Amino acid sequence: MDITLMPYAFFEGNMVPHEDAKVSIATHALQYGTGAFAGIRGYQDKSGSAINIFRLPDHVRRLLQSAQMLRADLPYGPEDVEKIIIDLVKKNAPNHNVYIRPLVYKAGIVLSPALTGIRDDLAIYVIPLDDYVDMSAPLKLMVSSWQRIEDNIIPSRGKFSGGYINSAFAKDQAAEAGCHDAIMLNRDGKVSEGSGANLFIVRNGTLITSPVTADILEGITRRSLVEFARDQGVPVEERAIDRSELYVADEVFLSGTGVQIAAVGTIDGRTVGGGERGPVTEMLQNVYFSTVRGEDTPYSHYVTSVPIE
Ligand code: PMP
């Protein structure tokens, strides 16, 4: 399904109508996948007069870390990128939830698949976005036969455009099999993550997620949920997860900016956690959603509220 862009984009240093944000077919990033991006949600505040962005500085930091790995040379520091994003949201004046997609990319027209000596740039667009997975019914997942890219191939902790070919193969296979999404294992055969989300299980009251060394993207939602759970007295372990633990877990859910916190009901045809959303999943959803919708929670400091005129 094609997406609809909001009227203004940030392109080559300016806010322009999105129709004018166009690149050459010979652009390095288009040819080689040499870009890095962020995916940031803005939630309409319960007052309706602001867009609440969850953990904006953390998203910008991860974007610039990915850019640094790509040896991108940008004229913007973290505060500049945050300000551009805030200004772009204001300029688009949304009256609905949005998703903001900043992209750092090798913009030069250079033939060699190198990293240096190529012009870099920053582009950002905004789209309207509500839940894109059905939050009312637990998801049907499968373990993919596609292995997660590993750190010494295309670093998963970088949110690199080209790395998402791996996600696309896994997601496509899952869709062909009638599943909502795929779970990918790493070279060690341990659970890594979903095609575009981190994965948690609950066993005997303990919340467990794969460690940052399991070829995962270091999710900002993941980090937040670990904090929420610990604050609620739920023990948390970051450790390798076996495939068969998925089948016997009391709860399984995916976490990410896009999927938010999505309960999983079946994996490889087995019903997990009774096929229903479990109590830890529900508690974390409640904390997350009340925070991003602008209610006063212990995590309200993670929200950047952008007033909309
Ligand atoms: N893993 C992958 C591969 C992703 O694309 C995403 C979405 N950005 C995540 C995990 C979750 O990260 P975050 O919570 O920062 O959105």
Side-chain angles (χ1 to χ4, degrees):
M1 197 180 60
D2 283 354
I3 55 172
T4 312
L5 272 63
M6 294 208 65
Y8 293 98
F10 182 82
F11 183 66
E12 297 184 340
N14 298 301
M15 309 261 182
V16 299
H18 77 78
E19 299 86 359
D20 298 340
K22 299 270 167 65
V23 297
S24 161
I25 56 168
T27 302
H28 198 274
L30 182 61
Q31 296 287 334
Y32 298 117
T34 45
F37 63 94
I40 309 171
R41 269 188 189 266
Y43 292 87
Q44 197 172 27
D45 188 85
K46 60 182 186 329
S47 69
S49 59
I51 292 290
N52 293 330
I53 305 180
F54 188 59
R55 302 193 76 160
L56 176 62
D58 297 276
H59 279 283
V60 168
R61 188 178 314 124
R62 186 176 65 193
L63 175 70
L64 295 183
Q65 284 174 348
S66 296
Q68 183 254 4
M69 284 191 262
L70 278 183
R71 308 188 70 174
D73 186 15
L74 289 176
Y76 312 109
E79 286 85 22
D80 303 318
V81 177
E82 285 171 37
K83 183 168 185 315
I84 294 167
I85 290 172
I86 290 168
D87 290 348
L88 187 64
V89 169
K90 280 189 186 156
K91 176 108 178 151
N92 278 299
N95 60 1
H96 43 66
N97 295 337
V98 293
Y99 181 81
I100 306 151
R101 175 51 73 80
L103 172 72
V104 174
Y105 65 108
K106 301 259 163 228
I109 310 296
V110 174
L111 200 56
S112 157
L115 291 178
T116 55
I118 306 164
R119 184 173 70 81
D120 299 291
D121 214 336
L122 169 71
I124 313 176
Y125 65 80
V126 184
I127 59 169
L129 190 72
D130 280 316
D131 298 345
Y132 75 59
V133 299
D134 179 3
M135 300 297 283
S136 61
L139 302 177
K140 183 178 173 190
L141 303 188
M142 66 177 283
V143 174
S144 184
S145 65
W146 292 99
Q147 184 185 296
R148 185 75 185 131
I149 44 171
E150 62 184 291
D151 193 56
N152 204 29
I153 296 180
I154 301 176
S156 303
R157 81 168 38 72
K159 203 167 163 55
F160 298 129
S161 304
Y164 277 79
I165 294 172
N166 180 238
S167 296
F169 274 114
K171 181 107 185 173
D172 172 76
Q173 184 186 39
E176 285 290 319
C179 293
H180 295 104
D181 203 350
I183 299 170
M184 280 188 280
L185 308 181
N186 60 21
R187 181 177 285 196
D188 297 335
K190 303 297 180 190
V191 173
S192 180
E193 59 178 343
S195 68
N198 294 116
L199 184 137
F200 285 83
I201 64 173
V202 179
R203 295 195 69 191
N204 304 319
T206 299
L207 184 65
I208 305 164
T209 193
S210 310
V212 293
T213 48
D215 302 308
I216 65 167
L217 182 75
E218 296 178 359
I220 291 160
T221 320
R222 172 188 178 279
R223 200 182 310 148
S224 310
L225 301 185
V226 166
E227 183 181 347
F228 300 167
R230 288 204 168 115
D231 289 353
Q232 294 294 316
V234 177
V236 180
E237 286 179 12
E238 295 182 45
R239 61 148 176 89
I241 298 176
D242 281 337
R243 176 179 189 162
S244 61
E245 288 191 277
L246 299 170
Y247 303 154
V248 299
D250 304 319
E251 298 180 42
V252 180
F253 61 87
L254 294 177
S255 86
T257 302
V259 300
Q260 304 170 114
I261 300 146
V264 176
T266 71
I267 299 173
D268 292 342
R270 284 121 177 125
T271 300
V272 295
E276 301 291 334
R277 179 179 69 164
V280 177
T281 311
E282 187 178 352
M283 179 275 286
L284 293 171
Q285 283 178 337
N286 289 341
V287 177
Y288 177 81
F289 285 115
S290 44
T291 303
V292 297
R293 287 187 185 130
E295 285 163 36
D296 195 17
T297 76
Y299 313 102
S300 299
H301 59 281
Y302 284 145
V303 171
T304 301
S305 182
V306 181
I308 302 298
E309 316 232 308

